[in-house]
């Protein structure tokens, strides 16, 4: 990473891994790869203490959209990694938070956000910074929603698949009226 900061595609080619896997492993071991970001603090293992859960809930509750950036959550909790916070939030989040993109309009909003960002490859999408805003929906819902949409067009490259999804979803939204 030091030789190629944030060049996850190139790093992945060298290691025989996916870009997302390389970025995630780096974040797990060393924290946010953004230049100038604080290094990851050592994290506790074992059962969560009530005060750790309270700090996670307080941090997640401060989000206007219900979306949680787990790197920031880990820094707020102070004793757990972003992956531990993500898993714990999966257990603690209110059951009212949607777990799927249920409507064509929600799926269209996601695809239009990808187009607006000008992203050319899925590995370059920073899902927590996408700016996609369906209140109460977690980033993992957006990512899993995209992956379900992506399966419709496995033969297309990323940009073409996004464009095709936008066109198809606009038709679905119009038909639903």
């Amino acid at each position: 990473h030091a030789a190629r900061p944030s060049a996850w595609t190139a790093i992945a080619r060298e290691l025989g891994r996916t870009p997302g896997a390389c970025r995630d492993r780096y974040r797990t071991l060393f924290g946010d790869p953004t230049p100038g970001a604080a290094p990851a603090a050592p994290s506790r293992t074992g059962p969560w203490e009530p005060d750790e859960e309270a700090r996670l809930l307080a941090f997640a509750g401060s989000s206007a959209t219900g979306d949680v950036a787990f790197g920031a959550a880990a820094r707020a909790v102070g004793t757990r990694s972003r992956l531990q916070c993500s898993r714990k939030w999966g257990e603690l989040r209110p059951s009212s938070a949607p777990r799927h993109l249920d409507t064509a309009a929600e799926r269209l909003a996601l695809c239009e956000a990808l187009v607006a960002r000008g992203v050319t490859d899925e590995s370059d999408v920073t899902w927590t910074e996408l700016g996609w805003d369906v209140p109460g929906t977690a980033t993992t819902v957006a990512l899993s929603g995209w992956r379900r949409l992506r399966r419709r067009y496995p033969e297309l490259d990323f940009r073409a698949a996004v464009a095709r999804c936008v066109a198809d979803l606009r038709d679905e939204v119009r038909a639903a009226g």
Side-chain angles (χ1 to χ4, degrees), residues 132-150:
W132 179 66
D133 187 18
V134 173
T137 302
T139 298
T140 54
V141 174
L143 176 58
S144 64
W146 165 249
R147 289 192 173 146
R148 279 192 301 281
L149 286 168
R150 182 70 172 110

Side-chain angles (χ1 to χ4, degrees), residues 97-156:
R99 298 183 193 278
H100 302 286
L101 301 179
D102 294 325
T103 68
E106 290 172 338
R107 293 187 297 272
L108 177 59
L110 172 63
C111 291
E112 287 176 337
L114 290 169
V115 170
R117 291 287 292 222
V119 179
T120 59
D121 186 78
E122 183 174 346
S123 64
D124 295 331
V125 178
T126 305
W127 294 95
T128 57
E129 297 172 2
L130 192 57
W132 179 66
D133 187 18
V134 173
T137 302
T139 298
T140 54
V141 174
L143 176 58
S144 64
W146 165 249
R147 289 192 173 146
R148 279 192 301 281
L149 286 168
R150 182 70 172 110
R151 282 187 231 134
R152 294 181 181 184
Y153 309 105
E155 73 284 0
L156 299 178

Side-chain angles (χ1 to χ4, degrees), residues 26 30-40 75:
Y26 186 92
F30 304 111
D32 186 354
T34 306
R75 288 188 294 279

